[in-house]
Amino acid sequence: MTPDEKLMLAARLRVIADSLLVPTATLTGLPPSLVQGFVEGTTTGAVAAAKAPKKKKASAYARKYKAAFKRIAPKYKLKNGKWKSNGFKRAVKEAHKVAGGKKR
């Protein structure tokens, strides 16, 4: 695509965008510049979200440990939800034991 073709395409896209934004602005009663800024902001956010890195899949052991920890944790907490003395450390140790970790 030549630079002239790119400029013509950009001009056409601007015309299309204006033809969409102006009626929207008049319907909502908002200034066209505000509507344009909103649309540009949402598209920028969408592009950033699409480029977000994919999360790693949790291993089978991590899923087992998570479930075990959720089951065990209440035993090591007080009624108000705070951890007992050394409760977190003991809950982690027991959850690893239940999940089947450290097999040697």
Side-chain angles (χ1 to χ4, degrees):
M1 188 177 273
T2 66
D4 290 336
E5 289 174 332
K6 287 181 182 179
L7 288 173
M8 287 184 61
L9 182 61
R12 283 185 188 164
L13 289 173
R14 278 195 296 275
V15 169
I16 292 170
D18 287 343
S19 67
L20 292 172
L21 291 175
V22 171
T24 305
T26 54
L27 268 172
T28 58
L30 297 170
S33 59
L34 184 66
V35 175
Q36 182 181 2
F38 175 75
V39 170
E40 287 175 357
T42 55
T43 55
T44 303
V47 169
K51 290 183 179 177
K54 303 292 181 201
K55 292 186 179 181
K56 291 176 86 176
K57 182 180 175 185
S59 66
Y61 177 77
R63 290 191 303 267
K64 288 178 188 174
Y65 170 77
K66 180 181 178 180
F69 186 83
K70 283 186 176 186
R71 273 194 318 272
I72 291 164
K75 288 197 314 190
Y76 296 100
K77 287 187 175 184
L78 300 171
K79 285 184 181 180
N80 65 3
K82 291 173 74 175
W83 289 100
K84 291 180 181 177
S85 177
N86 280 335
F88 182 78
K89 181 179 178 181
R90 289 185 290 158
V92 167
K93 190 170 185 178
E94 188 175 336
H96 279 297
K97 185 177 177 184
V98 170
K102 297 194 177 183
K103 294 179 182 173
R104 292 184 190 190

